[in-house]
Amino acid sequence: MSIQNNDVIIGLEVHIQLTNLKTKLFCSCSNDYRGKDPNTYVCPVCIGLPGSLPVINKKAINFATRLAIALNCEINKSMYFFRKNYFYPDMSKNFQISQYNKAGGKAFADGGKITIKLNSHKKDVILNRIHLEEDPARLVHKGSIATSPYTLVDYNRSGVTLIEIVTEPVMSSPEEAREFLKQLKSIVQYSGISRLDLEGSVRVDANISIKGHERSEVKNINSFKEVERALRHEIVRQKNLLKRGKDLIQETRHWDDKRRITISLRTKEFEADYRYFPEEDLVPIEIDNRFIQQVKDDLPEMPNERSLRLRREYDLSEFDSDNLVLDKDIADFYEEGVNSDASFGPNEYKQYCNWLMNDILRVLNEQNKTIKDTKLHPHQIVDIIRYINEGKITTKIAKTMIEDMLEGFSISEILEIKGKKRISDENFLIKLGNEVIEENPNIVKDCRVNPKAKEALIGKIMQKTKGQADPHIARNIILKILEKKGIID
Ligand SMILES: [Zn+2]
């Protein structure tokens, strides 16, 4: 059954932790809770002790403004926070401080869009809003949430800043959702507000329905990669139910990433259950145009503009430049590399792109590393391209050097230590050729009747040099010696 029919409707709610903040949203506890002992990064505010008062983190407002600008949202100039009431162990004060765009409240920013490209089609994924809220505590289950005999609560995460990005229900396939998240991840990285490679820095809720039927909400998908999987599963599940003549019910489901299925958690609670009301302990937020302009001026070039510029400046294809800009670290690396050699032109720009995007990234993926985890320097790729283009090494040998390059060794060091340089010294190869012919009288004899036998002699030279002899020179030398000896014409 095809799951790309246009009767599928998908909307996403993406929660992103602003990991690049130093402190939590309403207190001065450190944001950097990962790997720390449970319940050690807490204070009266973030564990919600009576009488404690929250104070807004101004940098969080700055970061939200950056993202709003990057996503082309309309920023609300005056707003206040709301209490979202619910009773659950991950929120010790029984309400989450959030924003609410009803009952006189406003989101942080409305609208906005991300343009995605899929199978050479462009599509705008329209956003509904983005808003700020605090992260609840982390619940730790033994095994899966459904089978765990107990729950542990770690309040270190409680009060960390989340920004929620809510799309309109405009995506019609898991692939579109994947492309949307890919672009969003890139924009977040360029905005400098979060490191989405950190464990738990992103959580996605997905609303999925088949046109004309009730929707289900799949909660807490813990990585962008899992979203596409969860959507595929859920679409198949819903379609199978419809095929069997069953009705779909509006419900909240959980994505079990170990078993790779969604399971029903509860039938959907209605918004009124949350009893939203204004958070009177916090002053309203006022944002003026000057502040927005300042933030705008500090934002770097975004991936879309950068891709256009790379195409212009380095003569790259749309495909290459779009891929290159996706990860800011990779794109920065590329530009530093190609700009460090004034003799580089379009051929070398393309060569550099291929090296980086194919050969280097393949090894990084195998090692599960990012480029910043390695000691690779942009100039190493410049050197390797020079060595290849000057015929000093073969592409094949160059590719065997990548792992040493990632360790920070320069090309000349690797060639020296590993002796991987191509041997084209004729005198040295003539000496080897004479040795080979002396050592293999039977093969030499065979050369008189079998033209293929001389290949074996050339192979012996390659063996002696561990494959580094220049094969053309080795061949000419063997032929010359055999001719001289009158063995071949
Ligand atoms: Zn705190």
PDB file of all heavy atoms in Angstrom, residues 348-382:
ATOM      1  N   GLU A 348      38.476  22.803  -8.923  1.00  0.00           N
ATOM      2  CA  GLU A 348      38.911  22.486  -7.562  1.00  0.00           C
ATOM      3  C   GLU A 348      37.775  22.702  -6.567  1.00  0.00           C
ATOM      4  O   GLU A 348      37.663  21.963  -5.597  1.00  0.00           O
ATOM      5  CB  GLU A 348      40.120  23.331  -7.160  1.00  0.00           C
ATOM      6  CG  GLU A 348      41.422  22.960  -7.873  1.00  0.00           C
ATOM      7  CD  GLU A 348      41.534  23.547  -9.258  1.00  0.00           C
ATOM      8  OE1 GLU A 348      40.686  24.420  -9.598  1.00  0.00           O
ATOM      9  OE2 GLU A 348      42.427  23.136 -10.020  1.00  0.00           O
ATOM     10  N   TYR A 349      36.923  23.710  -6.821  1.00  0.00           N
ATOM     11  CA  TYR A 349      35.779  23.936  -5.914  1.00  0.00           C
ATOM     12  C   TYR A 349      34.884  22.686  -5.883  1.00  0.00           C
ATOM     13  O   TYR A 349      34.403  22.258  -4.837  1.00  0.00           O
ATOM     14  CB  TYR A 349      34.927  25.126  -6.376  1.00  0.00           C
ATOM     15  CG  TYR A 349      35.638  26.469  -6.373  1.00  0.00           C
ATOM     16  CD1 TYR A 349      35.259  27.472  -7.252  1.00  0.00           C
ATOM     17  CD2 TYR A 349      36.675  26.721  -5.470  1.00  0.00           C
ATOM     18  CE1 TYR A 349      35.898  28.711  -7.251  1.00  0.00           C
ATOM     19  CE2 TYR A 349      37.314  27.953  -5.467  1.00  0.00           C
ATOM     20  CZ  TYR A 349      36.928  28.937  -6.363  1.00  0.00           C
ATOM     21  OH  TYR A 349      37.559  30.151  -6.354  1.00  0.00           O
ATOM     22  N   LYS A 350      34.677  22.138  -7.056  1.00  0.00           N
ATOM     23  CA  LYS A 350      33.831  20.939  -7.177  1.00  0.00           C
ATOM     24  C   LYS A 350      34.532  19.739  -6.523  1.00  0.00           C
ATOM     25  O   LYS A 350      33.924  18.969  -5.785  1.00  0.00           O
ATOM     26  CB  LYS A 350      33.559  20.685  -8.662  1.00  0.00           C
ATOM     27  CG  LYS A 350      32.886  19.372  -8.993  1.00  0.00           C
ATOM     28  CD  LYS A 350      31.422  19.349  -8.610  1.00  0.00           C
ATOM     29  CE  LYS A 350      30.781  17.988  -8.934  1.00  0.00           C
ATOM     30  NZ  LYS A 350      29.613  17.714  -8.095  1.00  0.00           N
ATOM     31  N   GLN A 351      35.856  19.639  -6.819  1.00  0.00           N
ATOM     32  CA  GLN A 351      36.644  18.539  -6.240  1.00  0.00           C
ATOM     33  C   GLN A 351      36.593  18.578  -4.709  1.00  0.00           C
ATOM     34  O   GLN A 351      36.419  17.561  -4.049  1.00  0.00           O
ATOM     35  CB  GLN A 351      38.110  18.718  -6.668  1.00  0.00           C
ATOM     36  CG  GLN A 351      38.646  17.627  -7.555  1.00  0.00           C
ATOM     37  CD  GLN A 351      40.098  17.901  -7.931  1.00  0.00           C
ATOM     38  OE1 GLN A 351      40.477  19.047  -8.226  1.00  0.00           O
ATOM     39  NE2 GLN A 351      40.904  16.870  -7.899  1.00  0.00           N
ATOM     40  N   TYR A 352      36.759  19.790  -4.176  1.00  0.00           N
ATOM     41  CA  TYR A 352      36.757  19.963  -2.716  1.00  0.00           C
ATOM     42  C   TYR A 352      35.399  19.551  -2.149  1.00  0.00           C
ATOM     43  O   TYR A 352      35.299  18.850  -1.134  1.00  0.00           O
ATOM     44  CB  TYR A 352      37.050  21.425  -2.357  1.00  0.00           C
ATOM     45  CG  TYR A 352      37.533  21.630  -0.941  1.00  0.00           C
ATOM     46  CD1 TYR A 352      38.861  21.954  -0.678  1.00  0.00           C
ATOM     47  CD2 TYR A 352      36.668  21.503   0.136  1.00  0.00           C
ATOM     48  CE1 TYR A 352      39.320  22.135   0.621  1.00  0.00           C
ATOM     49  CE2 TYR A 352      37.106  21.689   1.437  1.00  0.00           C
ATOM     50  CZ  TYR A 352      38.435  22.006   1.673  1.00  0.00           C
ATOM     51  OH  TYR A 352      38.869  22.177   2.956  1.00  0.00           O
ATOM     52  N   CYS A 353      34.344  19.969  -2.837  1.00  0.00           N
ATOM     53  CA  CYS A 353      32.984  19.628  -2.399  1.00  0.00           C
ATOM     54  C   CYS A 353      32.793  18.109  -2.386  1.00  0.00           C
ATOM     55  O   CYS A 353      32.271  17.542  -1.428  1.00  0.00           O
ATOM     56  CB  CYS A 353      31.972  20.302  -3.332  1.00  0.00           C
ATOM     57  SG  CYS A 353      30.264  19.913  -2.948  1.00  0.00           S
ATOM     58  N   ASN A 354      33.261  17.447  -3.433  1.00  0.00           N
ATOM     59  CA  ASN A 354      33.121  15.991  -3.500  1.00  0.00           C
ATOM     60  C   ASN A 354      33.885  15.298  -2.378  1.00  0.00           C
ATOM     61  O   ASN A 354      33.383  14.371  -1.755  1.00  0.00           O
ATOM     62  CB  ASN A 354      33.609  15.458  -4.850  1.00  0.00           C
ATOM     63  CG  ASN A 354      32.659  15.837  -5.969  1.00  0.00           C
ATOM     64  OD1 ASN A 354      31.536  16.283  -5.717  1.00  0.00           O
ATOM     65  ND2 ASN A 354      33.113  15.681  -7.202  1.00  0.00           N
ATOM     66  N   TRP A 355      35.108  15.789  -2.157  1.00  0.00           N
ATOM     67  CA  TRP A 355      35.907  15.186  -1.078  1.00  0.00           C
ATOM     68  C   TRP A 355      35.203  15.306   0.262  1.00  0.00           C
ATOM     69  O   TRP A 355      35.099  14.353   1.023  1.00  0.00           O
ATOM     70  CB  TRP A 355      37.294  15.850  -1.006  1.00  0.00           C
ATOM     71  CG  TRP A 355      38.288  15.038  -1.747  1.00  0.00           C
ATOM     72  CD1 TRP A 355      38.644  15.188  -3.049  1.00  0.00           C
ATOM     73  CD2 TRP A 355      39.007  13.912  -1.256  1.00  0.00           C
ATOM     74  NE1 TRP A 355      39.540  14.218  -3.403  1.00  0.00           N
ATOM     75  CE2 TRP A 355      39.785  13.423  -2.319  1.00  0.00           C
ATOM     76  CE3 TRP A 355      39.064  13.256  -0.023  1.00  0.00           C
ATOM     77  CZ2 TRP A 355      40.621  12.321  -2.186  1.00  0.00           C
ATOM     78  CZ3 TRP A 355      39.898  12.155   0.114  1.00  0.00           C
ATOM     79  CH2 TRP A 355      40.661  11.701  -0.958  1.00  0.00           C
ATOM     80  N   LEU A 356      34.712  16.505   0.513  1.00  0.00           N
ATOM     81  CA  LEU A 356      34.089  16.778   1.810  1.00  0.00           C
ATOM     82  C   LEU A 356      32.769  16.014   1.951  1.00  0.00           C
ATOM     83  O   LEU A 356      32.531  15.319   2.950  1.00  0.00           O
ATOM     84  CB  LEU A 356      33.853  18.291   1.917  1.00  0.00           C
ATOM     85  CG  LEU A 356      33.477  18.864   3.270  1.00  0.00           C
ATOM     86  CD1 LEU A 356      34.484  18.470   4.326  1.00  0.00           C
ATOM     87  CD2 LEU A 356      33.391  20.388   3.179  1.00  0.00           C
ATOM     88  N   MET A 357      31.900  16.134   0.941  1.00  0.00           N
ATOM     89  CA  MET A 357      30.538  15.620   1.076  1.00  0.00           C
ATOM     90  C   MET A 357      30.459  14.108   0.865  1.00  0.00           C
ATOM     91  O   MET A 357      29.551  13.467   1.391  1.00  0.00           O
ATOM     92  CB  MET A 357      29.597  16.323   0.082  1.00  0.00           C
ATOM     93  CG  MET A 357      29.509  17.820   0.277  1.00  0.00           C
ATOM     94  SD  MET A 357      29.133  18.273   1.976  1.00  0.00           S
ATOM     95  CE  MET A 357      27.409  17.801   2.082  1.00  0.00           C
ATOM     96  N   ASN A 358      31.380  13.550   0.077  1.00  0.00           N
ATOM     97  CA  ASN A 358      31.320  12.101  -0.147  1.00  0.00           C
ATOM     98  C   ASN A 358      32.304  11.362   0.743  1.00  0.00           C
ATOM     99  O   ASN A 358      31.919  10.600   1.616  1.00  0.00           O
ATOM    100  CB  ASN A 358      31.589  11.766  -1.619  1.00  0.00           C
ATOM    101  CG  ASN A 358      30.581  12.449  -2.533  1.00  0.00           C
ATOM    102  OD1 ASN A 358      29.446  12.722  -2.119  1.00  0.00           O
ATOM    103  ND2 ASN A 358      30.978  12.750  -3.743  1.00  0.00           N
ATOM    104  N   ASP A 359      33.600  11.637   0.527  1.00  0.00           N
ATOM    105  CA  ASP A 359      34.613  10.805   1.178  1.00  0.00           C
ATOM    106  C   ASP A 359      34.738  11.075   2.679  1.00  0.00           C
ATOM    107  O   ASP A 359      34.719  10.157   3.486  1.00  0.00           O
ATOM    108  CB  ASP A 359      35.957  11.020   0.478  1.00  0.00           C
ATOM    109  CG  ASP A 359      35.844  10.718  -1.012  1.00  0.00           C
ATOM    110  OD1 ASP A 359      35.563   9.554  -1.339  1.00  0.00           O
ATOM    111  OD2 ASP A 359      35.985  11.652  -1.819  1.00  0.00           O
ATOM    112  N   ILE A 360      34.844  12.354   3.024  1.00  0.00           N
ATOM    113  CA  ILE A 360      35.031  12.681   4.450  1.00  0.00           C
ATOM    114  C   ILE A 360      33.753  12.358   5.240  1.00  0.00           C
ATOM    115  O   ILE A 360      33.805  11.703   6.283  1.00  0.00           O
ATOM    116  CB  ILE A 360      35.387  14.175   4.630  1.00  0.00           C
ATOM    117  CG1 ILE A 360      36.655  14.536   3.841  1.00  0.00           C
ATOM    118  CG2 ILE A 360      35.521  14.511   6.109  1.00  0.00           C
ATOM    119  CD1 ILE A 360      37.945  14.024   4.412  1.00  0.00           C
ATOM    120  N   LEU A 361      32.602  12.784   4.723  1.00  0.00           N
ATOM    121  CA  LEU A 361      31.351  12.559   5.464  1.00  0.00           C
ATOM    122  C   LEU A 361      31.048  11.072   5.629  1.00  0.00           C
ATOM    123  O   LEU A 361      30.507  10.661   6.645  1.00  0.00           O
ATOM    124  CB  LEU A 361      30.173  13.254   4.779  1.00  0.00           C
ATOM    125  CG  LEU A 361      29.981  14.735   5.078  1.00  0.00           C
ATOM    126  CD1 LEU A 361      28.576  15.176   4.696  1.00  0.00           C
ATOM    127  CD2 LEU A 361      30.224  15.064   6.543  1.00  0.00           C
ATOM    128  N   ARG A 362      31.435  10.278   4.631  1.00  0.00           N
ATOM    129  CA  ARG A 362      31.194   8.834   4.739  1.00  0.00           C
ATOM    130  C   ARG A 362      31.938   8.269   5.951  1.00  0.00           C
ATOM    131  O   ARG A 362      31.381   7.543   6.774  1.00  0.00           O
ATOM    132  CB  ARG A 362      31.640   8.119   3.455  1.00  0.00           C
ATOM    133  CG  ARG A 362      31.333   6.627   3.440  1.00  0.00           C
ATOM    134  CD  ARG A 362      31.779   5.971   2.131  1.00  0.00           C
ATOM    135  NE  ARG A 362      33.113   6.410   1.721  1.00  0.00           N
ATOM    136  CZ  ARG A 362      34.241   5.976   2.256  1.00  0.00           C
ATOM    137  NH1 ARG A 362      34.214   5.092   3.223  1.00  0.00           N
ATOM    138  NH2 ARG A 362      35.413   6.437   1.833  1.00  0.00           N
ATOM    139  N   VAL A 363      33.220   8.664   6.076  1.00  0.00           N
ATOM    140  CA  VAL A 363      34.014   8.166   7.210  1.00  0.00           C
ATOM    141  C   VAL A 363      33.473   8.727   8.529  1.00  0.00           C
ATOM    142  O   VAL A 363      33.381   8.009   9.528  1.00  0.00           O
ATOM    143  CB  VAL A 363      35.509   8.528   7.029  1.00  0.00           C
ATOM    144  CG1 VAL A 363      36.321   8.064   8.230  1.00  0.00           C
ATOM    145  CG2 VAL A 363      36.044   7.891   5.748  1.00  0.00           C
ATOM    146  N   LEU A 364      33.076  10.011   8.522  1.00  0.00           N
ATOM    147  CA  LEU A 364      32.515  10.605   9.748  1.00  0.00           C
ATOM    148  C   LEU A 364      31.246   9.855  10.173  1.00  0.00           C
ATOM    149  O   LEU A 364      31.057   9.554  11.349  1.00  0.00           O
ATOM    150  CB  LEU A 364      32.183  12.084   9.530  1.00  0.00           C
ATOM    151  CG  LEU A 364      33.353  13.054   9.433  1.00  0.00           C
ATOM    152  CD1 LEU A 364      32.849  14.466   9.180  1.00  0.00           C
ATOM    153  CD2 LEU A 364      34.198  13.025  10.697  1.00  0.00           C
ATOM    154  N   ASN A 365      30.398   9.535   9.192  1.00  0.00           N
ATOM    155  CA  ASN A 365      29.173   8.796   9.515  1.00  0.00           C
ATOM    156  C   ASN A 365      29.485   7.421  10.078  1.00  0.00           C
ATOM    157  O   ASN A 365      28.853   6.974  11.032  1.00  0.00           O
ATOM    158  CB  ASN A 365      28.276   8.668   8.280  1.00  0.00           C
ATOM    159  CG  ASN A 365      27.601   9.993   7.960  1.00  0.00           C
ATOM    160  OD1 ASN A 365      27.464  10.851   8.827  1.00  0.00           O
ATOM    161  ND2 ASN A 365      27.190  10.167   6.716  1.00  0.00           N
ATOM    162  N   GLU A 366      30.481   6.762   9.469  1.00  0.00           N
ATOM    163  CA  GLU A 366      30.874   5.439   9.975  1.00  0.00           C
ATOM    164  C   GLU A 366      31.338   5.533  11.425  1.00  0.00           C
ATOM    165  O   GLU A 366      31.091   4.658  12.236  1.00  0.00           O
ATOM    166  CB  GLU A 366      32.026   4.856   9.130  1.00  0.00           C
ATOM    167  CG  GLU A 366      31.563   4.253   7.815  1.00  0.00           C
ATOM    168  CD  GLU A 366      32.751   3.998   6.872  1.00  0.00           C
ATOM    169  OE1 GLU A 366      33.925   4.077   7.336  1.00  0.00           O
ATOM    170  OE2 GLU A 366      32.495   3.737   5.695  1.00  0.00           O
ATOM    171  N   GLN A 367      32.063   6.619  11.722  1.00  0.00           N
ATOM    172  CA  GLN A 367      32.608   6.787  13.072  1.00  0.00           C
ATOM    173  C   GLN A 367      31.617   7.496  13.999  1.00  0.00           C
ATOM    174  O   GLN A 367      31.931   7.732  15.163  1.00  0.00           O
ATOM    175  CB  GLN A 367      33.915   7.584  13.012  1.00  0.00           C
ATOM    176  CG  GLN A 367      35.000   6.899  12.194  1.00  0.00           C
ATOM    177  CD  GLN A 367      36.320   7.668  12.236  1.00  0.00           C
ATOM    178  OE1 GLN A 367      36.389   8.780  12.762  1.00  0.00           O
ATOM    179  NE2 GLN A 367      37.356   7.062  11.684  1.00  0.00           N
ATOM    180  N   ASN A 368      30.437   7.840  13.452  1.00  0.00           N
ATOM    181  CA  ASN A 368      29.419   8.541  14.234  1.00  0.00           C
ATOM    182  C   ASN A 368      29.971   9.828  14.862  1.00  0.00           C
ATOM    183  O   ASN A 368      29.779  10.091  16.042  1.00  0.00           O
ATOM    184  CB  ASN A 368      28.850   7.599  15.298  1.00  0.00           C
ATOM    185  CG  ASN A 368      27.467   8.037  15.740  1.00  0.00           C
ATOM    186  OD1 ASN A 368      26.836   8.882  15.089  1.00  0.00           O
ATOM    187  ND2 ASN A 368      26.998   7.498  16.842  1.00  0.00           N
ATOM    188  N   LYS A 369      30.686  10.594  14.033  1.00  0.00           N
ATOM    189  CA  LYS A 369      31.291  11.838  14.514  1.00  0.00           C
ATOM    190  C   LYS A 369      30.847  13.009  13.651  1.00  0.00           C
ATOM    191  O   LYS A 369      30.455  12.819  12.505  1.00  0.00           O
ATOM    192  CB  LYS A 369      32.822  11.747  14.405  1.00  0.00           C
ATOM    193  CG  LYS A 369      33.473  10.946  15.511  1.00  0.00           C
ATOM    194  CD  LYS A 369      34.977  10.945  15.320  1.00  0.00           C
ATOM    195  CE  LYS A 369      35.658  10.147  16.404  1.00  0.00           C
ATOM    196  NZ  LYS A 369      37.051   9.838  16.059  1.00  0.00           N
ATOM    197  N   THR A 370      30.931  14.226  14.229  1.00  0.00           N
ATOM    198  CA  THR A 370      30.757  15.417  13.408  1.00  0.00           C
ATOM    199  C   THR A 370      32.157  15.929  13.060  1.00  0.00           C
ATOM    200  O   THR A 370      33.137  15.498  13.657  1.00  0.00           O
ATOM    201  CB  THR A 370      30.001  16.525  14.160  1.00  0.00           C
ATOM    202  OG1 THR A 370      30.825  16.986  15.225  1.00  0.00           O
ATOM    203  CG2 THR A 370      28.691  16.016  14.725  1.00  0.00           C
ATOM    204  N   ILE A 371      32.202  16.871  12.121  1.00  0.00           N
ATOM    205  CA  ILE A 371      33.511  17.343  11.668  1.00  0.00           C
ATOM    206  C   ILE A 371      34.259  18.025  12.812  1.00  0.00           C
ATOM    207  O   ILE A 371      35.485  17.978  12.884  1.00  0.00           O
ATOM    208  CB  ILE A 371      33.358  18.258  10.433  1.00  0.00           C
ATOM    209  CG1 ILE A 371      34.668  18.313   9.667  1.00  0.00           C
ATOM    210  CG2 ILE A 371      32.888  19.664  10.810  1.00  0.00           C
ATOM    211  CD1 ILE A 371      34.505  18.654   8.218  1.00  0.00           C
ATOM    212  N   LYS A 372      33.512  18.594  13.749  1.00  0.00           N
ATOM    213  CA  LYS A 372      34.155  19.275  14.875  1.00  0.00           C
ATOM    214  C   LYS A 372      34.730  18.301  15.901  1.00  0.00           C
ATOM    215  O   LYS A 372      35.527  18.698  16.753  1.00  0.00           O
ATOM    216  CB  LYS A 372      33.157  20.228  15.555  1.00  0.00           C
ATOM    217  CG  LYS A 372      32.976  21.523  14.787  1.00  0.00           C
ATOM    218  CD  LYS A 372      32.357  22.597  15.666  1.00  0.00           C
ATOM    219  CE  LYS A 372      32.592  23.978  15.071  1.00  0.00           C
ATOM    220  NZ  LYS A 372      31.841  25.011  15.807  1.00  0.00           N
ATOM    221  N   ASP A 373      34.288  17.055  15.847  1.00  0.00           N
ATOM    222  CA  ASP A 373      34.842  16.047  16.760  1.00  0.00           C
ATOM    223  C   ASP A 373      36.232  15.591  16.314  1.00  0.00           C
ATOM    224  O   ASP A 373      36.887  14.835  17.016  1.00  0.00           O
ATOM    225  CB  ASP A 373      33.942  14.788  16.806  1.00  0.00           C
ATOM    226  CG  ASP A 373      32.569  15.082  17.370  1.00  0.00           C
ATOM    227  OD1 ASP A 373      32.460  16.017  18.173  1.00  0.00           O
ATOM    228  OD2 ASP A 373      31.610  14.379  17.003  1.00  0.00           O
ATOM    229  N   THR A 374      36.649  16.000  15.114  1.00  0.00           N
ATOM    230  CA  THR A 374      37.923  15.510  14.583  1.00  0.00           C
ATOM    231  C   THR A 374      38.952  16.637  14.555  1.00  0.00           C
ATOM    232  O   THR A 374      38.626  17.787  14.850  1.00  0.00           O
ATOM    233  CB  THR A 374      37.764  15.004  13.131  1.00  0.00           C
ATOM    234  OG1 THR A 374      37.577  16.150  12.281  1.00  0.00           O
ATOM    235  CG2 THR A 374      36.579  14.075  12.997  1.00  0.00           C
ATOM    236  N   LYS A 375      40.192  16.277  14.182  1.00  0.00           N
ATOM    237  CA  LYS A 375      41.224  17.312  14.059  1.00  0.00           C
ATOM    238  C   LYS A 375      41.430  17.702  12.595  1.00  0.00           C
ATOM    239  O   LYS A 375      42.444  18.298  12.248  1.00  0.00           O
ATOM    240  CB  LYS A 375      42.533  16.790  14.649  1.00  0.00           C
ATOM    241  CG  LYS A 375      42.461  16.620  16.157  1.00  0.00           C
ATOM    242  CD  LYS A 375      43.775  16.091  16.705  1.00  0.00           C
ATOM    243  CE  LYS A 375      43.672  15.887  18.206  1.00  0.00           C
ATOM    244  NZ  LYS A 375      44.666  14.909  18.670  1.00  0.00           N
ATOM    245  N   LEU A 376      40.466  17.357  11.777  1.00  0.00           N
ATOM    246  CA  LEU A 376      40.579  17.684  10.358  1.00  0.00           C
ATOM    247  C   LEU A 376      40.634  19.194  10.172  1.00  0.00           C
ATOM    248  O   LEU A 376      39.865  19.940  10.772  1.00  0.00           O
ATOM    249  CB  LEU A 376      39.373  17.117   9.601  1.00  0.00           C
ATOM    250  CG  LEU A 376      39.468  17.155   8.078  1.00  0.00           C
ATOM    251  CD1 LEU A 376      40.529  16.167   7.592  1.00  0.00           C
ATOM    252  CD2 LEU A 376      38.122  16.840   7.442  1.00  0.00           C
ATOM    253  N   HIS A 377      41.590  19.637   9.339  1.00  0.00           N
ATOM    254  CA  HIS A 377      41.741  21.062   9.054  1.00  0.00           C
ATOM    255  C   HIS A 377      41.435  21.298   7.575  1.00  0.00           C
ATOM    256  O   HIS A 377      41.803  20.473   6.738  1.00  0.00           O
ATOM    257  CB  HIS A 377      43.171  21.496   9.401  1.00  0.00           C
ATOM    258  CG  HIS A 377      43.341  22.974   9.309  1.00  0.00           C
ATOM    259  ND1 HIS A 377      43.645  23.602   8.122  1.00  0.00           N
ATOM    260  CD2 HIS A 377      43.208  23.944  10.232  1.00  0.00           C
ATOM    261  CE1 HIS A 377      43.699  24.911   8.335  1.00  0.00           C
ATOM    262  NE2 HIS A 377      43.444  25.138   9.616  1.00  0.00           N
ATOM    263  N   PRO A 378      40.760  22.427   7.261  1.00  0.00           N
ATOM    264  CA  PRO A 378      40.379  22.662   5.851  1.00  0.00           C
ATOM    265  C   PRO A 378      41.559  22.560   4.879  1.00  0.00           C
ATOM    266  O   PRO A 378      41.386  22.166   3.731  1.00  0.00           O
ATOM    267  CB  PRO A 378      39.826  24.093   5.878  1.00  0.00           C
ATOM    268  CG  PRO A 378      39.339  24.288   7.265  1.00  0.00           C
ATOM    269  CD  PRO A 378      40.237  23.479   8.148  1.00  0.00           C
ATOM    270  N   HIS A 379      42.755  22.909   5.360  1.00  0.00           N
ATOM    271  CA  HIS A 379      43.877  22.925   4.434  1.00  0.00           C
ATOM    272  C   HIS A 379      44.343  21.530   4.030  1.00  0.00           C
ATOM    273  O   HIS A 379      44.963  21.338   2.996  1.00  0.00           O
ATOM    274  CB  HIS A 379      45.039  23.739   5.011  1.00  0.00           C
ATOM    275  CG  HIS A 379      45.861  24.357   3.935  1.00  0.00           C
ATOM    276  ND1 HIS A 379      46.973  23.747   3.432  1.00  0.00           N
ATOM    277  CD2 HIS A 379      45.677  25.481   3.208  1.00  0.00           C
ATOM    278  CE1 HIS A 379      47.467  24.487   2.467  1.00  0.00           C
ATOM    279  NE2 HIS A 379      46.689  25.554   2.307  1.00  0.00           N
ATOM    280  N   GLN A 380      44.024  20.530   4.850  1.00  0.00           N
ATOM    281  CA  GLN A 380      44.422  19.165   4.488  1.00  0.00           C
ATOM    282  C   GLN A 380      43.771  18.730   3.171  1.00  0.00           C
ATOM    283  O   GLN A 380      44.383  18.032   2.374  1.00  0.00           O
ATOM    284  CB  GLN A 380      44.008  18.186   5.594  1.00  0.00           C
ATOM    285  CG  GLN A 380      44.898  18.260   6.820  1.00  0.00           C
ATOM    286  CD  GLN A 380      44.255  17.520   7.972  1.00  0.00           C
ATOM    287  OE1 GLN A 380      43.239  17.947   8.486  1.00  0.00           O
ATOM    288  NE2 GLN A 380      44.833  16.401   8.352  1.00  0.00           N
ATOM    289  N   ILE A 381      42.524  19.161   2.973  1.00  0.00           N
ATOM    290  CA  ILE A 381      41.844  18.761   1.728  1.00  0.00           C
ATOM    291  C   ILE A 381      42.410  19.544   0.543  1.00  0.00           C
ATOM    292  O   ILE A 381      42.526  19.020  -0.561  1.00  0.00           O
ATOM    293  CB  ILE A 381      40.312  18.920   1.860  1.00  0.00           C
ATOM    294  CG1 ILE A 381      39.820  18.039   3.012  1.00  0.00           C
ATOM    295  CG2 ILE A 381      39.605  18.544   0.571  1.00  0.00           C
ATOM    296  CD1 ILE A 381      38.328  18.064   3.227  1.00  0.00           C
ATOM    297  N   VAL A 382      42.808  20.800   0.796  1.00  0.00           N
ATOM    298  CA  VAL A 382      43.496  21.561  -0.263  1.00  0.00           C
ATOM    299  C   VAL A 382      44.737  20.788  -0.696  1.00  0.00           C
ATOM    300  O   VAL A 382      44.982  20.585  -1.884  1.00  0.00           O
ATOM    301  CB  VAL A 382      43.891  22.968   0.250  1.00  0.00           C
ATOM    302  CG1 VAL A 382      44.782  23.673  -0.765  1.00  0.00           C
ATOM    303  CG2 VAL A 382      42.641  23.802   0.545  1.00  0.00           C
TER     304      VAL A 382
END
